[in-house]
Amino acid sequence: MYKITSDEIRTIFLEYFQKHNHKKISESSVIPENDPTLLFINSGMAPLKNYFTGEEVPPASNLCNIQPCIRTIDIDDIGDRHHLTSFEMLGSWSFNNYFKEDAIKLAFELLTEGFKIPKEKLYATVFMGSKELNLEPDTESIEIWQKVGMDRSHIVPQPFEDNFWGPTAETGPCGPCTEVFYDTGEEFGEAYVEGGVFDTKKRYIEIWNAGVFMQLNKLADGTYEPLKFKSVDTGAGLERLTMTLNKLNSVYEIDSLRPIVEIIKKQCASLNPDSDIPEQKINILSDHLRTVTILLAAGAVPSNTGRGYVPRKLIRKCCTILAKYKMDNFNFQEVLDRVIEHYKKYYSHFETNRKQIHDVFNKEVESYSAVLKDGTARIEKMCEGKTTISGKDAFVLVTSYGLPFDFIQDYAAEHGMTIDKEEYDNEIKHHKEISKLGNNEEGGSGNSLEALKGMAANFTKTVFVGYEELSCTGHVIGIIKDNEEVEAALANEQAIIVTDKSCFYAESGGQIADTGVMDSGDMQLQVTDVKKVDDIFFHFVNILNGQARIDQTVNMKVDAERRTKIEANHSAVHLLQKALRIHLGDSVKQAGSLVTDDRLRFDFHCDKKLESDVLDAIEATVNQFISENYTRDVKETTYEQAVKEGALAFFSDKYSDLVRMVSFGDVSKELCGGTHISSTGRIGFCKIISEESAGRGIRRIVALTRKEAVAYVQEELKLLNDISAKLRVPKKQILSKLDTLGTKKEQPINVEFSVMTKEQISKKTMQGANGISYMTNEYAAMTDEVRDEAIRVAEIIKGVVCFYSIADGKVQLTIAIDKELSKTCNANGVIKKALAYLDGKGGGSAYLARGSGNNANGLKDMLENFKTFF
Ligand code: ATP
Ligand code: MG
């Protein structure tokens, strides 16, 4: 049925470029590694950024691959003919090698000969130049397209917004691009005539950005200079090629998407035969479920912020659509499995993570169904008899009930209501400002990480020598104060220092940064933190003496003892991961980790709490690995080789072929950029100190190593010794002793509070043990009558009596305890604790104590906490 399958297109593309001297490299995970500036990998070139700036050397000067991409930016276009939130990009690149001529030649030849597209069907856009920005039109490309055989009338000059790429930051490599469009025919719109409008929305579909020609470097003053070395970046959408080569109306008809659409259509028809769910909604469901599967396969976990928010949003959108068309029992599994079936042919982690994809997805749907149910009831109640949903109500529905704003909007539209959007936006803005106050990311140097990202382009990459060395010499190439680059920083100032070389590990992969010192002559500074953006190391420092200056040569020294502790903890994380897999199965997957000098934290996907015997067994295994003293082995190898050797990795996180594999004998092999202890024996001892939930479906283990672990165990043992001494039984008998004490304590101690007056006492209006309640402000609780009465009542109720009175801001207390009870519960101790709330003084015996305090404001808290005093 298909003239050409997407599989054939992949093969033709890769074979063609490999035949033309392009090295095929492996794809990257859609979740970017070490690139906080990017939400998801959105193009083939994104993981290769450093090759274009020259910061990293590519494995060959021409490369090609197929890269899965996520484009959340296109989310609003989903449901049209040709935009998807996820697609695969066929990419080819040349670094400092061939340029426009060969790039266009290769593209035209592959399209017309490889894919056999008649050239009449093809159009190419080129950059028309910009007078305003002083940028020349790309006449070269026009000439080359004509030379290879494209008619001039099919070459369309386009403005800066459409055909000029980059830079990704304020400054950096950029240049004109040329894009190839496919003419899908007159049924989709008017033909393009030279000088007229070129409709790229319906009739002409972009299939290939056949060349971003990086030839310029944008400078900070907004001008452009020629780039030292030129490169070409191209990318073609596999789905769009499959659509156009098969002359299909939309991407939803291609071989990889159609089966998904069919499954969804069939289910919708059977769940609600009368529904008139539009085709566009089916397409949205198909797109979103496919993207969610890709994200979950890569290890994304739905959450309310950052990367986790995208799968959450997509899943919620699907649920909202299905709820609207009353298709509550939709079988998502069938759809996810179909997506997995397709992708597992190309990417092995889809099969490996199948269970996890389903589990995470199901949980999210389950919890969101509850949100929808609860939220719908709430919205109905809020809107009763109203024509407008106020911004405040909408805000509460979104923030407290978790309803998406879209859902509220749909509800309003369906019920003929309006929403006060302006008020809603103001509420959200206000909320964000408040949250920011409590979440200050700024360091003491007044520099935000956000600002550093913008500055990274100003510096060359830092050479990191800290795997081998704990001290080194480097040059200061940048000093930043209050988000501004400066020439020098003085004693007692805080600043950020960038050096050409560093032995300080920068926080990444869950491992905290090194600290230490730098000096130069009489200049001394303390390094308190190190962050890394695009491999530029930003050292957060306090200048202690002298002056730090640009170009200064500095001696750097890492705090070695602290580094060793961090390394021990990091290596223990690896051993722990292995032990977890041994005891819980290979499906254990890391969800996050934190390695500091005083502890290690490991989060992993797991549905249930670990029983203490399982935890003990895991801890024993980790300590066995420690005592077996495996030597650290670090090697750089290809991703494929590392996986072959059994390294733990869930996707290839590095585009270049080399990855860093850290092994301890045969027990642990992981792809890891962190620093590690030279042999497991040096970890000494590892003690798990807690196991708890860290979010839905995620457990968290916290553990200590070395001195910290020993100190922890000693302290716990000391506590046990103290308890044993206090109970006057050997440790082994503590439990049985507690059991006997426990039975005695089963009846709760009876407590009575009362405010009383002298007259009331004298009138003896108190009625029995319970129900004593006198209200007055008279100054009376320390009279002898009160004392006698308290003792009498305490005996009657066999409990504790607290009489108090308030006058002139002072509080007086009398506490009496039944004599028998006072053997275990001492009135003198109780009143000391009570008076602490009242800034008071007093005391007494085991069964009677009296005192007064000057702070009547503490009374309420005192009464609330009273039962904790004994
Ligand atoms: P458009 O203007 O159509 O959104 P684009 O200019 O954003 O495309 P590029 O960034 O140049 O596209 O990406 C290169 C190629 O990737 C495109 O030529 C197209 O084939 C494909 N592509 C881009 N965005 C999408 C998408 N959302 N869904 C499917 N394919 C896409
Ligand atoms: Mg686009």
Side-chain angles (χ1 to χ4, degrees):
M1 156 194 190
Y2 292 98
K3 280 204 296 224
I4 182 167
T5 63
S6 54
D7 205 41
E8 285 162 344
I9 296 173
R10 283 171 187 276
T11 313
I12 292 172
F13 175 85
L14 287 175
E15 280 180 357
Y16 178 81
F17 275 100
Q18 281 174 281
K19 193 177 88 195
H20 288 90
N21 292 328
H22 289 66
K23 182 177 165 60
K24 180 181 167 285
I25 53 167
S26 51
E27 72 289 343
S28 302
S29 164
V30 291
I31 300 178
E33 261 287 302
N34 290 333
D35 190 352
T37 59
L38 193 61
L39 196 59
F40 291 111
I41 294 299
N42 57 4
S43 67
M45 78 82 75
L48 313 181
K49 257 195 306 204
N50 290 349
Y51 298 159
F52 289 91
T53 54
E55 289 165 63
E56 264 181 71
V57 182
S61 40
N62 304 336
L63 304 177
C64 64
N65 80 357
I66 299 180
Q67 173 64 51
C69 297
I70 306 285
R71 284 217 179 160
T72 46
I73 198 166
D74 286 341
I75 200 157
D76 293 332
D77 289 326
I78 303 312
D80 72 359
R81 297 177 74 193
H82 59 300
H83 281 93
L84 296 162
T85 50
S86 55
F87 62 96
E88 285 173 277
M89 197 181 277
L90 312 173
S92 63
W93 300 276
S94 160
F95 303 97
N96 204 16
N97 195 5
Y98 67 77
F99 205 48
K100 292 183 187 176
E101 174 122 22
D102 283 345
I104 293 175
K105 239 169 133 175
L106 286 166
F108 192 75
E109 188 182 270
L110 176 60
L111 290 170
T112 55
E113 291 172 30
F115 294 132
K116 305 203 169 29
I117 305 178
K119 64 177 189 176
E120 295 70 38
K121 283 282 190 188
L122 297 175
Y123 285 74
T125 57
V126 292
F127 177 48
M128 70 193 325
S130 161
K131 286 214 170 79
E132 201 184 318
L133 296 165
N134 207 12
L135 292 167
E136 294 296 320
D138 186 7
T139 47
E140 268 173 283
S141 290
I142 300 184
E143 279 162 27
I144 303 167
W145 277 118
Q146 281 183 283
K147 203 164 123 194
V148 296
M150 186 161 308
D151 200 279
R152 179 63 186 81
S153 63
H154 282 220
I155 302 169
V156 189
Q158 292 282 60
F160 181 85
E161 298 73 51
D162 295 313
N163 278 55
F164 193 90
W165 185 90
T168 47
E170 287 291 295
T171 56
C174 53
C177 66
T178 181
E179 300 179 327
V180 180
F181 286 75
Y182 183 90
D183 180 1
T184 62
E186 54 193 11
E187 60 204 279
F188 293 102
E190 295 289 308
Y192 166 73
V193 283
E194 269 182 88
V197 178
F198 186 57
D199 154 39
T200 60
K201 297 269 177 287
K202 289 210 165 75
R203 175 162 177 165
Y204 300 98
I205 301 275
E206 182 191 326
I207 51 173
W208 196 351
N209 196 338
V212 173
F213 300 125
M214 272 180 251
Q215 60 187 56
L216 296 170
N217 182 28
K218 188 175 177 191
L219 303 171
D221 62 4
T223 59
Y224 298 84
E225 64 173 15
L227 208 58
K228 286 194 196 78
F229 74 87
K230 297 178 186 171
S231 332
V232 179
D233 157 40
T234 89
L238 175 61
E239 291 78 357
R240 287 198 194 169
L241 270 176
T242 316
M243 163 192 164
T244 48
L245 291 180
N246 285 291
K247 299 200 167 40
L248 300 170
N249 285 336
S250 86
V251 279
Y252 298 96
E253 294 176 20
I254 70 169
D255 51 7
S256 58
L257 267 139
R258 194 186 181 98
I260 302 169
V261 174
E262 301 274 296
I263 290 173
I264 296 176
K265 263 194 190 154
K266 210 162 127 210
Q267 281 205 43
C268 288
S270 79
L271 286 170
N272 183 357
D274 299 332
S275 97
D276 52 352
I277 181 165
E279 183 97 16
Q280 195 221 19
K281 297 278 184 222
I282 304 263
N283 291 346
I284 291 177
L285 288 170
S286 313
D287 170 83
H288 288 8
L289 291 175
R290 181 171 174 265
T291 300
V292 167
T293 313
I294 295 170
L295 290 173
L296 299 189
V301 178
S303 71
N304 277 340
T305 51
R307 292 181 179 138
Y309 186 59
V310 174
R312 170 156 291 174
K313 188 168 161 183
L314 295 174
I315 293 175
R316 292 185 162 198
K317 198 146 175 216
C318 293
C319 292
T320 312
I321 293 175
L322 292 167
K324 181 170 171 183
Y325 291 95
K326 314 257 174 302
M327 296 168 182
D328 293 341
N329 291 323
F330 190 85
N331 177 3
F332 290 104
Q333 311 315 315
E334 197 187 351
V335 183
L336 304 199
D337 275 330
R338 186 65 197 78
V339 181
I340 295 170
E341 275 326 295
H342 174 74
Y343 280 116
K344 75 175 200 191
K345 288 183 270 177
Y346 312 103
Y347 311 109
S348 60
H349 65 280
F350 278 81
E351 183 59 63
T352 331
N353 296 343
R354 185 189 290 265
K355 184 172 178 310
Q356 183 193 323
I357 297 170
H358 283 300
D359 290 351
V360 175
F361 189 94
N362 289 346
K363 262 198 200 137
E364 186 65 15
V365 169
E366 227 169 78
S367 71
Y368 187 58
S369 303
V371 166
L372 274 188
K373 214 165 136 206
D374 192 27
T376 311
R378 179 63 43 179
I379 197 170
E380 277 167 0
K381 205 159 165 212
M382 269 182 175
C383 296
E384 244 171 38
K386 291 188 190 161
T387 53
T388 303
I389 301 180
S390 75
K392 283 203 167 77
D393 281 352
F395 176 76
V396 170
L397 287 167
V398 171
T399 52
S400 303
Y401 291 90
L403 277 188
F405 188 72
D406 292 355
F407 182 89
I408 304 169
Q409 239 169 354
D410 281 351
Y411 183 91
E414 271 172 37
H415 294 77
M417 302 176 77
T418 51
I419 303 182
D420 188 342
K421 180 82 171 43
E422 201 181 322
E423 189 182 61
Y424 172 78
D425 288 342
N426 281 338
E427 288 290 320
I428 291 280
K429 199 168 141 222
H430 180 63
H431 174 71
K432 279 189 182 151
E433 275 160 10
I434 291 176
S435 328
K436 239 193 245 157
L437 293 176
N439 180 20
N440 188 1
E441 255 204 331
E442 316 255 318
S445 51
N447 296 285
S448 70
L449 191 59
E450 218 37 59
L452 296 184
K453 284 174 200 161
M455 284 187 184
N458 303 358
F459 305 106
T460 49
K461 191 171 135 182
T462 309
V463 177
F464 177 59
V465 296
Y467 286 132
E468 301 88 22
E469 315 281 348
L470 291 179
S471 60
C472 73
T473 306
H475 289 95
V476 176
I477 58 170
I479 302 178
I480 302 162
K481 270 193 327 200
D482 298 326
N483 296 326
E484 296 279 343
E485 276 188 64
V486 292
E487 287 294 312
L490 310 178
N492 300 322
E493 283 185 343
Q494 294 182 323
I496 292 177
I497 290 199
V498 184
T499 47
D500 58 348
K501 196 173 171 191
S502 180
C503 47
F504 287 90
Y505 184 82
E507 177 193 328
S508 66
Q511 178 178 333
I512 57 161
D514 283 331
T515 58
V517 290
M518 292 188 199
D519 64 54
S520 174
D522 64 354
M523 191 283 291
Q524 278 179 323
L525 61 82
Q526 203 180 15
V527 178
T528 56
D529 196 4
V530 189
K531 296 207 189 299
K532 168 169 95 167
V533 179
D534 291 342
D535 284 334
I536 292 144
F537 284 46
F538 294 93
H539 304 84
F540 290 63
V541 306
N542 295 331
I543 316 282
L544 303 176
N545 289 308
Q547 200 187 79
R549 288 183 326 279
I550 293 281
D551 284 339
Q552 200 169 33
T553 305
V554 284
N555 304 311
M556 309 180 197
K557 210 164 152 207
V558 170
D559 178 340
E561 196 181 323
R562 184 172 172 278
R563 164 72 90 83
T564 305
K565 288 179 174 180
I566 298 171
E567 292 187 340
N569 285 339
H570 198 158
S571 302
V573 164
H574 285 209
L575 301 184
L576 175 63
Q577 162 133 279
K578 176 66 181 185
L580 282 164
R581 291 167 79 89
I582 289 175
H583 292 279
L584 304 177
D586 278 350
S587 62
V588 166
K589 184 177 176 288
Q590 175 162 354
S593 72
L594 177 70
V595 176
T596 69
D597 51 334
D598 63 4
R599 60 187 47 217
L600 59 104
R601 197 174 84 190
F602 186 73
D603 295 350
F604 56 102
H605 297 276
C606 178
D607 284 339
K608 47 182 193 302
K609 183 172 171 51
L610 305 194
E611 296 300 331
S612 65
D613 56 338
V614 177
L615 215 51
D616 285 349
I618 290 166
E619 186 181 271
T621 304
V622 173
N623 282 294
Q624 185 190 328
F625 292 154
I626 291 173
S627 64
E628 284 164 356
N629 199 20
Y630 298 103
T631 308
R632 174 192 65 203
D633 180 44
V634 178
K635 75 171 174 187
E636 293 217 319
T637 176
T638 61
Y639 173 76
E640 286 79 10
Q641 181 59 27
V643 170
K644 216 189 222 164
E645 290 184 31
L648 265 189
F650 290 91
F651 37 72
S652 104
D653 55 4
K654 195 76 177 154
Y655 26 87
S656 79
D657 286 82
L658 288 186
V659 291
R660 187 170 185 270
M661 182 167 77
V662 177
S663 322
F664 290 103
D666 279 338
V667 306
S668 164
K669 276 191 189 358
E670 283 192 40
L671 300 190
C672 176
T675 66
H676 285 272
I677 201 88
S678 53
S679 62
T680 62
R682 293 186 61 215
I683 299 173
F685 170 44
C686 176
K687 176 80 198 129
I688 293 177
I689 61 167
S690 69
E691 190 277 340
E692 60 189 21
S693 164
R696 213 170 333 115
I698 296 180
R699 305 298 303 176
R700 166 170 296 170
I701 286 182
V702 177
L704 308 174
T705 65
R706 293 168 74 99
K707 257 197 223 162
E708 276 72 21
V710 173
Y712 177 86
V713 172
Q714 285 173 340
E715 207 166 295
E716 296 278 295
L717 270 178
K718 180 173 178 302
L719 187 67
L720 208 56
N721 286 333
D722 290 351
I723 294 172
S724 133
K726 199 141 205 151
L727 293 175
R728 297 199 194 151
V729 289
K731 281 195 285 250
K732 288 218 163 92
Q733 288 168 25
I734 288 177
L735 283 181
S736 50
K737 174 77 180 176
L738 283 179
D739 282 344
T740 56
L741 290 177
T743 47
K744 267 194 206 160
K745 278 208 162 172
E746 257 163 28
Q747 294 148 346
I749 296 175
N750 212 348
V751 183
E752 289 289 351
F753 295 118
S754 185
V755 177
M756 55 197 325
T757 66
K758 209 171 171 181
E759 298 87 86
Q760 282 163 327
I761 298 287
S762 58
K763 279 188 209 148
K764 296 240 187 311
T765 49
M766 281 181 296
Q767 302 297 319
N770 300 310
I772 305 166
S773 177
Y774 303 106
M775 301 302 294
T776 177
N777 281 337
E778 294 271 45
Y779 180 77
M782 264 168 69
T783 60
D784 289 348
E785 292 95 309
V786 170
R787 179 197 61 199
D788 296 344
E789 195 59 24
I791 293 170
R792 193 180 73 83
V793 176
E795 301 296 343
I796 296 170
I797 65 170
K798 301 254 173 287
V800 180
V801 169
C802 170
F803 286 161
Y804 60 91
S805 63
I806 317 158
D808 305 329
K810 287 193 174 182
V811 181
Q812 296 221 342
L813 287 185
T814 292
I815 293 174
I817 298 185
D818 168 61
K819 290 245 172 67
E820 187 55 34
L821 184 62
S822 71
K823 288 179 189 158
T824 52
C825 172
N826 189 308
N828 189 35
V830 172
I831 204 162
K832 290 259 154 57
K833 288 180 187 158
L835 286 168
Y837 285 81
L838 308 171
D839 300 339
K841 282 196 186 120
S845 68
Y847 70 95
L848 178 77
R850 300 203 280 182
S852 63
N854 292 324
N855 175 21
N857 292 334
L859 186 65
K860 191 167 162 277
D861 281 349
M862 188 278 275
L863 294 175
E864 265 168 24
N865 290 296
F866 197 82
K867 286 200 173 177
T868 64
F869 300 162
F870 41 88

